[in-house]
Amino acid sequence: MIRVAVAGFMGRMGQAVVSAVTAADDMEVVCGIDTNADAAQAASAGFPVACSVAEALDATSADVLVDFTQPSSAATNIACALTRGVDCVVGTTGLATETLEELAEQATDGACLFFAPNFTTGAVLMMQFAKAAAPYFPQAEIIEYHHCNKKDAPSGTAVSTARMIAQARDGRASEAPGSETEIDGCAGARGALVEGIPVHSVRSMGFVANQEVIFGSLGQTLTLRHESWDRQSYMPGVLLGIREAAGLHGLVIGLENLMDI
């Protein structure tokens, strides 16, 4: 049985993780961590509750820490777990690659830091398809749509997709017209450049997490689109990360590393 601690267990993603882990036959939630948990919520959780990762790991024995919190707290949570030899499965976006590398260096006892910018299998496949298409189209743009409470823009998935496209093209930027075409007073109309790829972020109620990658060349376009309507779409990827973490070491980025693609 894999013993799982969930940081941010009171949030929307945290609640989904708790439900998914509880429903799985090979794992269990041994602790929930949330700075906002009160006595009544702690009593109804069905498992021990702590205000910090340090407090949680002092009181319980966990194999894996799952973190869906905020960038400002995630780094502290991850460092605390890795220095105690506890594997980490992280979906909190907004953490720089350099930060993840520094955190992974603190791991003891072969602990793993597994980070995925997106845990939905469909989104991972979309990114792989985009990587395959990138060398054949001189123009590429990304439009990502998320709920209005998302704290970072562009999304981690959009940034990762742009980097994968650029890498597949040996760093060649999109040939689509850029900010030089923006009219006065409308700066940003052409989006933010990420690795030379224009990225447009939409934030609105009604969305969970959607993304389009649009490729263009003479006489044709290719559009790749992935849509998540419910946070349950992340759970198969999260559970896969939890199950595989024990066999990983150091920093591993991307669900594609655990999928047979």
Side-chain angles (χ1 to χ4, degrees):
M1 188 71 71
I2 305 172
R3 298 164 296 186
V4 182
V6 181
F9 83 96
M10 288 177 53
R12 294 181 182 90
M13 280 299 295
Q15 291 174 17
V17 171
V18 168
S19 296
V21 170
T22 301
D25 294 333
D26 57 343
M27 59 186 74
E28 62 177 335
V29 178
V30 295
C31 187
I33 302 108
D34 202 299
T35 57
N36 297 315
D38 59 27
Q41 291 163 326
S44 63
F47 45 76
V49 171
C51 291
S52 70
V53 171
E55 178 185 346
L57 298 183
D58 282 343
T60 60
S61 178
D63 301 308
V64 179
L65 171 73
V66 177
D67 189 293
F68 280 93
T69 57
Q70 302 295 330
S72 57
S73 58
T76 301
N77 295 342
I78 296 166
C80 182
L82 291 177
T83 55
R84 296 167 185 247
V86 176
D87 295 319
C88 293
V89 174
V90 179
T92 303
T93 57
L95 295 169
T97 301
E98 293 78 9
T99 300
L100 295 172
E101 291 171 346
E102 292 171 359
L103 289 167
E105 291 175 356
Q106 302 180 46
T108 60
D109 300 327
C112 166
L113 169 51
F114 175 70
F115 170 78
N118 197 311
F119 276 93
T120 55
T121 52
V124 172
L125 289 169
M126 172 197 62
M127 294 162 71
Q128 294 297 314
F129 297 156
K131 181 179 179 180
Y136 302 100
F137 290 85
Q139 299 180 346
E141 305 207 17
I142 297 170
I143 309 173
E144 53 100 349
Y145 311 76
H146 280 80
H147 56 89
C148 56
N149 294 319
K150 186 170 177 57
K151 302 300 183 182
D152 57 324
S155 69
T157 301
V159 171
S160 294
T161 305
R163 288 173 176 167
M164 292 173 72
I165 291 172
Q167 183 181 20
R169 296 169 153 186
D170 295 324
R172 178 166 49 92
S174 173
E175 295 180 12
S179 59
E180 72 279 358
T181 65
E182 296 171 350
I183 64 176
D184 291 343
C186 295
R190 289 294 296 121
L193 283 181
V194 180
E195 301 288 338
I197 310 299
V199 177
H200 312 265
S201 296
V202 177
R203 296 291 177 269
S204 178
M205 291 184 290
F207 292 113
V208 175
N210 302 344
Q211 179 170 291
E212 290 182 2
V213 186
I214 303 170
F215 291 102
S217 69
L218 289 173
Q220 64 173 334
T221 61
L222 171 65
T223 300
L224 305 173
R225 181 178 177 91
H226 176 260
E227 300 180 350
S228 288
W229 295 291
D230 191 282
R231 288 173 177 81
Q232 291 302 318
S233 63
Y234 293 88
M235 294 307 107
V238 172
L239 296 182
L240 178 61
I242 293 171
R243 292 185 175 110
E244 297 294 327
L248 304 174
H249 301 286
L251 177 62
V252 180
I253 298 178
L255 191 64
E256 64 273 13
N257 293 291
L258 307 185
M259 298 170 62
D260 187 19
I261 55 176

